[in-house]
């Protein structure tokens, strides 16, 4: 779908969505939301939405279930134990290829924010991604976006997924400890974990997707990361609920656009600091460029995400993926018009 047609399609439904949202009560105010690693800055908009009271402001009672990684959060949605997930956009593509129709309704991160680092005492022998062959690489959880990131990068230099050993280490101090103990040769994770390891001199950074420059180098531009996604039949059955979910998260994106690292630190739980407030402030500053400005995934971003997956996922080689069905931008466009 061209950008023009996409924009026209969005505009054509805004009036009906406005009427619907204002005229009808929320169909399902009590919701279970799944996430994989809530403390990570990748999912900062979720914590902000919760802590700033935006869910309640939108008439929603949201219970957050935190899993070890995004793959488990996805499973909770597919299995029916969660209504909505904050997770990686790539999951919407992979699930479509498997016959599961899920769609993102809001972009939270325009860049993945994932960093791949090699343990300092192994770094001298690693000059490219192909040098990772045979190494033990820690990720938040197998099948999560941190795992996809590794797979995509090594595939660029001819390696297969099974040329490295992927080990799930979580998203907090467990990941830091695994690296410091020498259990891993390399790690693919997010802030504040990666800034902690950088500051302590434990790793050499091999790939950094927190900044626009880093993403241009790795992917040639925008590569949507964290999104809010749901099953399409949920969206169809509960359109007013879906709009209020998006409204709540959209408010957090707007708040985040002008917030300082100190503002963020005052809002999140202290345990997010990993015992070091200065570290957390540095992590927030390093990750600030990755958050979405509009909540809308641009067509080129969708294409970049699909291209990344095609590099390493054999299940997608012959799949017919309709990228237009992986993102429903109607609700984000409506949220942007709210006073």
């Amino acid at each position: 779908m061209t950008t023009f047609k996409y924009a026209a399609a969005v505009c054509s439904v805004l009036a009906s969505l406005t009427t619907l949202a204002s005229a009808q009560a929320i169909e399902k105010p009590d919701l279970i939301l799944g996430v994989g690693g809530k403390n990570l800055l990748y999912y900062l908009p979720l914590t902000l939405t919760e802590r700033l009271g935006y869910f309640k402001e939108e008439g929603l009672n949201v219970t957050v279930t935190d899993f070890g990684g995004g793959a488990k959060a996805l499973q909770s949605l597919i299995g029916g134990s969660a209504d909505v997930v904050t997770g990686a956009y790539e999951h919407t593509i992979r699930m479509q290829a498997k016959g599961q129709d899920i769609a993102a309704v809001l972009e939270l991160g325009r860049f993945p924010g994932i960093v791949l680092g090699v343990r300092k005492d192994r770094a001298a022998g690693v000059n490219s991604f192909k040098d990772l062959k045979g190494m033990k690489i820690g990720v938040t959880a197998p099948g999560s976006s941190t795992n996809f990131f590794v797979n995509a990068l090594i595939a660029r230099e001819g390696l297969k997924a099974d040329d490295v050993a992927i080990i799930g280490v979580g998203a907090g101090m467990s990941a830091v400890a695994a690296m410091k103990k020498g259990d891993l040769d390399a790690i693919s994770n997010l802030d504040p974990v990666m800034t902690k390891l950088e500051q302590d001199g434990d790793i050499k950074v091999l790939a950094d997707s927190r900044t626009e420059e880093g993403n241009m180098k790795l992917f040639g531009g925008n590569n949507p990361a964290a999104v809010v996604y749901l099953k399409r039949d949920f969206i169809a059955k509960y359109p007013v609920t879906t709009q209020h979910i998006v409204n709540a998260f959209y408010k957090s994106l707007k708040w985040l656009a002008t917030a300082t690292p100190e503002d963020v630190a005052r809002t999140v739980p202290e345990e997010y600091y990993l015992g070091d407030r200065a570290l957390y402030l540095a992590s927030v500053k390093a990750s600030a460029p990755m958050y979405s400005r509009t909540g809308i995934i641009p067509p080129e971003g969708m294409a970049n995400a699909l291209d990344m997956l095609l590099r390493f996922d054999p299940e997608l080689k012959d799949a017919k993926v309709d990228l237009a069905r992986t993102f429903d931008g109607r609700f984000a466009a409506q949220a942007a018009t709210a006073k």
Side-chain angles (χ1 to χ4, degrees):
M1 182 181 290
T2 65
T3 303
F4 177 79
K5 289 182 179 178
Y6 180 77
V10 169
C11 291
S12 71
V13 298
L14 287 184
S16 60
L17 276 174
T18 302
T19 301
L20 184 64
S22 61
Q24 296 185 16
I26 298 171
E27 312 98 338
K28 187 175 170 57
D30 298 323
L31 300 166
I32 305 296
L33 185 150
V35 61
K38 185 185 175 191
N39 65 300
L40 292 170
L41 286 173
Y42 189 87
Y43 295 119
L44 177 61
L46 168 59
T47 295
L48 295 177
T49 304
E50 188 178 43
R51 303 279 287 192
L52 294 170
Y54 293 147
F55 285 134
K56 290 183 178 179
E57 197 173 283
E58 288 295 324
L60 301 172
N61 177 32
V62 177
T63 299
V64 177
T65 303
D66 193 3
F67 298 92
K72 294 179 180 178
L74 170 65
Q75 290 167 9
S76 73
L77 183 77
I78 300 302
S81 60
D83 303 298
V84 55
V85 166
T86 52
Y89 169 68
E90 294 98 323
H91 290 306
T92 67
I93 297 175
R94 297 184 78 240
M95 288 300 100
Q96 186 182 127
K98 294 182 177 182
Q100 297 283 347
D101 204 5
I102 66 174
V105 290
L106 188 73
E107 179 187 65
L108 302 178
R110 57 188 183 137
F111 308 142
I114 301 170
V115 178
L116 174 62
V118 181
R119 203 173 74 216
K120 259 302 177 52
D121 61 354
R122 297 294 309 271
V126 180
N127 298 306
S128 67
F129 301 127
K130 66 181 178 182
D131 295 326
L132 296 172
K133 185 173 183 177
M135 288 192 175
K136 294 181 290 185
I137 303 177
V139 300
T140 55
S144 296
S145 58
T146 50
N147 191 166
F148 295 163
F149 190 70
V150 173
N151 289 351
L153 295 182
I154 64 175
R156 292 168 63 162
E157 297 189 10
L159 298 187
K160 298 178 181 178
D162 58 6
D163 282 328
V164 297
I166 295 296
I167 302 171
V169 294
M173 285 306 296
S174 59
V176 174
M179 201 66 187
K180 287 181 175 292
K181 288 191 298 183
D183 294 342
L184 307 170
D185 300 306
I187 185 169
S188 173
N189 216 295
L190 300 115
D191 274 333
V193 169
M194 299 309 291
T195 292
K196 169 68 173 172
L197 292 172
E198 278 187 273
Q199 287 190 348
D200 290 353
D202 295 313
I203 60 170
K204 171 189 173 183
V205 172
L206 196 59
D208 188 342
S209 67
R210 291 174 294 194
T211 66
E212 188 163 3
E213 180 183 3
N215 279 269
M216 284 299 296
K217 180 179 178 181
L218 294 169
F219 307 114
N222 170 277
N223 190 342
V227 297
V228 179
Y229 66 72
L230 311 96
K231 290 182 178 178
R232 275 194 169 272
D233 57 4
F234 182 102
I235 297 171
K237 187 175 182 180
Y238 305 120
V240 178
T241 302
T242 302
Q243 184 63 65
H244 282 270
I245 292 169
V246 172
N247 289 350
F249 277 102
Y250 188 83
K251 290 176 181 178
S252 290
L253 289 181
K254 302 313 288 182
W255 183 91
L256 191 54
T258 59
T260 64
E262 289 78 11
D263 292 331
V264 173
R266 283 193 294 268
T267 305
V268 304
E270 287 190 12
E271 56 263 32
Y272 283 22
Y273 302 169
L274 298 185
D276 187 337
R277 190 174 188 275
L279 161 73
Y280 191 77
L281 291 172
S283 299
V284 172
K285 184 177 181 180
S287 296
M290 76 183 188
Y291 299 109
S292 180
R293 303 293 191 258
T294 64
I296 299 289
I297 304 176
E300 60 269 23
M302 300 183 205
N304 282 341
L306 176 58
D307 180 66
M308 181 185 77
L309 291 172
L310 287 172
R311 292 178 186 273
F312 70 86
D313 193 336
E315 294 182 358
L316 290 174
K317 295 298 183 183
D318 299 315
K320 294 182 179 179
V321 176
D322 181 358
L323 287 175
R325 289 194 64 78
T326 64
F327 178 62
D328 188 336
R330 296 173 297 162
F331 303 95
Q334 174 58 30
T337 70
K339 298 289 186 180

